[in-house]
Amino acid sequence: MSYTVDFTTVSTTGLESSPVADALAGLRANEARYFKNKYDHTFVVHPAAEAPDTVAWVTDILKSERDIVIESPVLEATEFEVAGIRMAYLFYESGLSINVMYTLDDAGKRAVGFKLSDGMEVPAELAERFKFARQKSKLAGTIRGSYFTIKSEH
């Protein structure tokens, strides 16, 4: 069942099995607020089992671009298009959030972003490969993030 993310009343709906559910819910709400304020887009997530194409697309990009396989189960996924950009998000049980920004114009930017929920350790799959910068969020506490640029067509 889909869930419309409310960034005024943060809820752990769909994320309850995460050991950092509150922080992950704050991170998800932070993303929802960003897209509502910037693009007037309502952020709706789906259980991973109901979004297999989105999970497969992001998983394929991670594997083919950087040979990354995330061990944690995906809890939720969403995919949408705003301003000529195909966006996809996966929210993992560990507290990790991965997003893909894929500009539909061939000359546009394409990248994968990683965000770590407050209180989680850097996943072993990413620890040696990326440095994570910190940012503060009223909804999510301290978010650590990193990214890489997508080189191929997906």
Side-chain angles (χ1 to χ4, degrees):
M1 188 165 96
S2 65
Y3 172 70
T4 301
V5 180
D6 181 354
F7 55 86
T8 54
T9 306
V10 178
S11 169
T12 59
T13 299
L15 307 174
E16 297 90 352
S17 66
S18 173
V20 291
D22 290 337
L24 183 56
L27 179 59
R28 182 179 66 181
N30 188 63
E31 300 300 325
R33 180 179 59 192
Y34 172 81
F35 282 100
K36 187 65 173 173
N37 290 341
K38 182 153 179 131
Y39 300 107
D40 195 30
H41 173 78
T42 301
F43 203 83
V44 178
V45 293
H46 309 276
E50 293 178 15
D53 292 344
T54 303
V55 173
W57 186 59
V58 174
T59 302
D60 176 62
I61 291 171
L62 293 170
K63 180 70 175 156
S64 65
E65 292 281 333
R66 294 291 180 100
D67 198 29
I68 296 171
V69 176
I70 304 299
E71 296 299 322
S72 179
V74 180
L75 297 178
E76 293 184 329
T78 187
E79 185 175 344
F80 53 92
E81 187 180 320
V82 291
I85 304 168
R86 181 179 177 189
M87 296 295 306
Y89 277 83
L90 300 183
F91 295 94
Y92 292 83
E93 189 172 60
S94 65
L96 175 67
S97 169
I98 297 180
N99 69 75
V100 172
M101 178 189 80
Y102 197 88
T103 304
L104 299 175
D105 177 13
D106 287 338
K109 296 178 182 178
R110 296 175 176 166
V112 173
F114 304 101
K115 291 185 179 173
L116 309 177
S117 294
D118 207 3
M120 74 171 285
E121 295 296 321
V122 177
E125 308 89 39
L126 306 176
E128 298 297 319
R129 300 176 186 217
F130 300 96
K131 294 188 186 283
F132 287 84
R134 295 180 187 273
Q135 74 180 60
K136 291 280 189 188
S137 163
K138 288 181 183 176
L139 293 171
T142 300
I143 300 170
R144 291 167 291 158
S146 192
Y147 75 98
F148 69 84
T149 302
I150 297 172
K151 305 283 187 210
S152 302
E153 295 289 319
H154 292 279

